[in-house]
Amino acid sequence: MKILVVDDHALVREGLCQVLKGLDEQVQVLEAPHCARAFELAALHPDLDLVLLDYHLPDMNGLDALTIFGTKHPELPIVMLSGSVNLRIMRQVMAKGAAGFVTKAGISNDLLSALRRVLAGDVYLPPELLTASGTPSAQDFSTENNAPLLTPRQEEVLYLLLDGRSNKDISQTLHLSEETTKNHVTAVLRCFGVQTRIQAVIAAGYHGYTKSAPLA
């Protein structure tokens, strides 16, 4: 398992490195003090499993960084870290395609629980957002109110996306070339009016799609 931690405070990065061993003793943690270095490391390590991204960084805010990660690495789950509980920022971060939002005030076990869910292909919504009025709706993740019209093949691809499967896994399961799978994933994102796989998963949930639907 390989995780990238992006935070401008060395002590925070060191602390997270210790906490992340709770996921796997052999976890490899890469560290970046700013977004420029984070983008370099993400390009050098295409096998990254997860990114922990601080919202407040010296060279870029979390929303802008999410946009770049989503464009360059749409399959890479990003969990945003923040020292404050701001519902507006939480909603913006989740709508931008983050796989989760965790406050630094939480305890280690809460962080590990959130990361396990994300690594399993789920999306983690913080309790503050779940209990607040104005919780994210389908309109936050899609430009259309009606359910998208997917072809049968696109629906098969979508269900595998909901299971957290990579393009390679989808290709093997459906006996498709990786290029064909990539085209289907792109079509699914376009149907939901979103830019990243995480946004598609969230939007699909609001349109009634659930995990583990049987393939034809």
Side-chain angles (χ1 to χ4, degrees):
M1 184 184 299
K2 187 180 292 187
I3 297 175
L4 171 61
V5 173
V6 189
D7 195 292
D8 57 329
H9 295 97
L11 286 177
V12 172
R13 296 197 306 272
E14 291 175 9
L16 287 171
C17 288
Q18 294 301 314
V19 172
L20 292 175
K21 290 182 180 179
L23 293 173
D24 185 338
E25 278 293 334
Q26 303 303 316
V27 64
Q28 181 180 354
V29 181
L30 306 177
E31 300 181 34
H34 45 65
C35 288
R37 180 55 177 161
F39 299 144
E40 291 176 357
L41 289 173
L44 290 171
H45 298 271
D47 57 340
L48 276 174
D49 295 294
L50 179 72
V51 175
L52 283 178
L53 177 68
D54 186 29
Y55 183 82
H56 298 286
L57 290 163
D59 57 342
M60 188 178 300
N61 69 41
L63 291 176
D64 292 336
L66 271 175
T67 298
I68 294 176
F69 271 119
T71 300
K72 294 185 176 180
H73 311 281
E75 297 183 29
L76 183 59
I78 313 292
V79 173
M80 189 70 72
L81 295 172
S82 177
S84 62
V85 179
N86 185 309
L87 295 179
R88 179 181 60 84
I89 290 177
M90 285 183 183
R91 295 189 186 102
Q92 290 176 333
V93 164
M94 298 308 297
K96 273 286 186 179
F101 189 107
V102 179
T103 63
K104 293 181 180 179
I107 62 176
S108 299
N109 285 340
D110 289 342
L111 173 61
L112 292 176
S113 178
L115 297 185
R116 288 189 184 100
R117 288 188 58 178
V118 171
L119 288 167
D122 289 332
V123 173
Y124 175 79
L125 291 175
E128 296 87 354
L129 196 56
L130 289 173
T131 57
S133 60
T135 300
S137 66
Q139 293 180 351
D140 293 319
F141 305 101
S142 176
T143 57
E144 300 292 337
N145 292 328
N146 297 324
L149 297 176
L150 301 175
T151 67
R153 179 62 85 185
Q154 288 168 356
E155 283 201 337
E156 290 178 335
V157 170
L158 174 59
Y159 282 122
L160 291 171
L161 288 178
L162 291 171
D163 281 333
R165 307 283 283 277
S166 67
N167 280 7
K168 184 176 181 180
D169 288 338
I170 294 172
S171 298
Q172 293 174 347
T173 300
L174 300 180
H175 307 290
L176 302 172
S177 70
E178 290 197 36
E179 184 63 29
T180 298
T181 295
K182 182 179 179 181
N183 290 338
H184 283 311
V185 170
T186 300
V188 170
L189 300 186
R190 189 181 301 116
C191 284
F192 282 107
V194 298
Q195 295 181 320
T196 72
R197 295 162 64 104
I198 294 297
Q199 288 173 315
V201 167
I202 298 173
Y206 284 112
H207 284 298
Y209 289 95
T210 59
K211 284 189 172 188
S212 302
L215 296 176

